Amino acid sequence: MTEAARLVGHEAGAEPGSCTGAVGTQPKPGKLLQGAMAGPSPGPHEILAPSPEAGHRTATSSSSRRGLLWRLRDKQLRLGLFEIGPGHELHRLTCMMQAGLWAATQVSIDNPPTGPPTQEDFSEVMTQVHDEGFELGTLAGPVFARLRRSVGLAEEDYQAALGPGGPYLQFLSTSKSKASFFLSHDQRFFLKTQRRREVQVLLTHLPRYVQHLQRHPHSLLARLLGVHSLQVAQGKKKYFIIMQSVFYPAGRISERYDIKGCEVSRWVEPAPECNELVLVLKDLNFQGKTINVGPQRSWLLRQMELDTAFLRELNVLDYSLLMAFQHLHQDERGSSLIFRLAKSVHGAQSPEDPGAQNRRLLPDAPNALHILDGPEQRYFLGLVDLATVYGLRKRLEHLWKTLRYPGRTFSTVSPARYARRLCQWVEAHTE
């Protein structure tokens, strides 16, 4: 059995251990993980409160409606974004993640990768053994170090955000995947635990993902920044990914949406007035609204076509378009604050097709790749959840939902239909 195969030999489930100790770094070669069939991979969905779908609610008495609202309110008040302090049940786990990631990033600081990635870079597995009884594995580390550099992210800044300098924040979610969701203390980076088969899919597709981002440096695909494993003593490995948070900076964001282009299970009950709970709403909540991006609309539609065509080629479905609104201040409106990103002139792979990378103007912001400025609003956009393959399991789910929801649209359809439908949703809701 290869080292890479052993690295992903078990799914998550380890108990957290200590977060301090010396580190021994042992680079180990491995192989790309092939032939994976991924299950549902919900992305960074903040608190998704369950609710009846719009247009399909049954009549209730006023007393039962009040009871439902109180139960909903009680549930919502228990959900939120929490700092993981010493008394938190996940404190020891996140301490280990922070210590391991600090050490892993130090390797790329001391020995930055040079030149284009090699086949060995994609298959590399580096294991750091901590004296306190846990190991952190870094998968395809040189590749992700290059990806971080490509978005202008200094390794020292990445290390400071993810290391022990500040506690992680926990996202609570109603996701059926039972994944754990975290944010770095500055809310710039998103961490999510993953199933082994989802990690397999991501690593299998990683070379083509890198190639797509090189060709289209302003792609809407979420920027993956690292894939790691964590093992405590002889326990099972826990896997997690790190990516840029699409919703950053979050200070003035007024609305957040998770869009799949369908209607079944795509409604979230809005938070009661005067409740500061942050919700990510869904397709049916967006009815009657539009995205006004002005002259950048043609760019957005074209980039959606390019990105969803890429995901269709990977036989992937069930991804989401994350979207958030932020009102522009008066002095932010107009073109004075937009500039042409220097790196946008790089990465065009076809000399005969200079427009292949679909260049655009970007706001001067840390996550500018995921930002579009309209006349009145700034829009945060990103495609997430890129590891669900349309295999036998999803084909059977499609047949079941066809019988269960006749005449209605749902997420489990063929990758070609899924891509086409999401592009049509964006075209219908933009101006």
Side-chain angles (χ1 to χ4, degrees):
M1 181 180 296
T2 67
E3 184 66 30
R6 285 195 296 272
L7 181 65
V8 292
H10 301 283
E11 286 197 33
E15 289 296 321
S18 173
C19 60
T20 59
V23 177
T25 301
Q26 304 168 356
K28 301 180 182 180
K31 293 183 179 179
L32 280 176
L33 304 163
Q34 303 289 342
M37 304 287 275
S41 177
H45 306 157
E46 298 175 57
I47 308 92
L48 304 181
S51 169
E53 297 165 23
H56 299 279
R57 304 186 204 185
T58 57
T60 60
S61 66
S62 59
S63 60
S64 63
R65 188 175 294 122
R66 281 197 301 270
L68 174 62
L69 290 175
W70 276 110
R71 289 194 300 273
L72 175 64
R73 179 178 180 272
D74 180 64
K75 182 168 186 176
Q76 287 177 332
L77 290 175
R78 298 197 307 268
L79 299 177
L81 191 61
F82 298 102
E83 183 177 294
I84 300 178
H88 196 288
E89 62 179 347
L90 295 174
H91 179 248
R92 296 175 67 199
L93 173 64
T94 56
C95 279
M96 289 189 297
M97 293 169 67
Q98 289 179 309
L101 290 173
W102 189 94
T105 308
Q106 192 62 45
V107 173
S108 56
I109 291 175
D110 295 338
N111 301 285
T114 58
T118 65
Q119 184 175 357
E120 289 73 21
D121 291 334
F122 284 100
S123 60
E124 180 182 288
V125 175
M126 181 182 72
T127 302
Q128 298 167 318
V129 182
H130 289 243
D131 287 346
E132 296 300 325
F134 72 92
E135 298 181 1
L136 185 104
T138 300
L139 288 71
V143 178
F144 288 109
R146 289 180 175 87
L147 284 172
R148 295 192 291 270
R149 187 170 58 193
S150 73
V151 297
L153 177 58
E155 291 295 283
E156 292 81 0
D157 293 339
Y158 184 69
Q159 183 185 69
L162 293 172
Y168 287 168
L169 305 174
Q170 183 189 18
F171 256 15
L172 292 186
S173 170
T174 58
S175 167
K176 296 179 181 179
S177 70
K178 298 182 181 180
S180 296
F181 301 85
F182 307 101
L183 280 172
S184 58
H185 62 85
D186 60 2
Q187 300 190 39
R188 186 174 179 184
F189 304 111
F190 185 86
L191 300 89
K192 177 195 170 187
T193 59
Q194 297 269 197
R195 296 182 176 128
R196 180 184 59 159
R197 61 176 177 266
E198 293 168 342
V199 170
Q200 290 175 325
V201 170
L202 289 174
L203 292 181
T204 300
H205 294 161
L206 186 57
R208 297 178 67 180
Y209 171 84
V210 170
Q211 185 180 47
H212 181 79
L213 295 186
Q214 289 174 339
R215 185 176 178 84
H216 307 288
H218 300 163
S219 167
L220 294 168
L221 297 183
R223 293 310 193 269
L224 298 175
L225 304 177
V227 175
H228 300 272
S229 68
L230 182 68
Q231 184 175 26
V232 181
Q234 299 302 313
K236 293 182 179 180
K237 286 186 174 70
K238 185 181 288 289
Y239 300 92
F240 61 96
I241 65 168
I242 305 170
M243 57 178 277
Q244 280 186 316
S245 173
V246 175
F247 300 146
Y248 178 86
R252 301 194 333 260
I253 289 178
S254 58
E255 298 175 71
R256 296 167 173 82
Y257 292 89
D258 175 306
I259 301 299
K260 290 183 180 288
C262 58
E263 61 177 332
V264 172
S265 300
R266 303 306 296 166
W267 167 264
V268 171
E269 192 70 30
E273 293 185 12
C274 302
N275 190 324
E276 296 183 358
L277 178 69
V278 175
L279 291 175
V280 176
L281 305 174
K282 298 186 181 182
D283 301 62
L284 295 178
N285 298 97
F286 201 80
Q287 289 181 344
K289 299 184 179 183
T290 58
I291 309 166
N292 185 357
V293 291
Q296 295 193 79
R297 180 175 183 266
S298 59
W299 175 88
L300 175 60
L301 297 180
R302 175 59 177 158
Q303 193 61 53
M304 282 293 300
E305 291 178 357
L306 292 168
D307 289 334
T308 56
F310 168 71
L311 296 174
R312 183 182 67 233
E313 292 171 1
L314 298 183
N315 201 34
V316 167
L317 74 158
D318 219 21
Y319 44 89
S320 296
L321 174 65
L322 292 188
M323 179 171 54
F325 294 6
Q326 182 187 83
H327 290 288
L328 292 175
H329 290 159
Q330 188 63 40
D331 60 356
E332 292 178 313
R333 299 173 185 176
S335 59
S336 60
L337 292 180
I338 348 183
F339 69 101
R340 187 172 296 279
L341 196 66
K343 67 169 173 280
S344 70
V345 301
H346 307 301
Q349 303 299 305
S350 303
E352 69 278 6
D353 186 11
Q357 56 192 338
N358 197 28
R359 291 179 293 179
R360 68 183 177 96
L361 297 177
L362 295 175
D364 186 4
N367 278 19
L369 290 170
H370 291 147
I371 289 175
L372 283 148
D373 273 354
E376 302 290 334
Q377 303 235 43
R378 174 166 290 171
Y379 301 95
F380 296 71
L381 301 163
L383 289 166
V384 300
D385 302 349
L386 312 179
T388 300
V389 171
Y390 193 56
L392 177 60
R393 177 181 174 182
K394 284 295 176 180
R395 292 174 188 272
L396 293 175
E397 185 178 330
H398 169 76
L399 292 176
W400 180 83
K401 287 186 176 180
T402 300
L403 299 174
R404 177 69 175 82
Y405 305 108
R408 300 177 63 193
T409 57
F410 46 83
S411 63
T412 311
V413 294
S414 71
R417 184 177 176 187
Y418 194 96
R420 181 172 61 253
R421 190 173 63 188
L422 188 56
C423 286
Q424 289 172 345
W425 188 97
V426 173
E427 184 173 9
H429 291 84
T430 54
E431 58 183 25

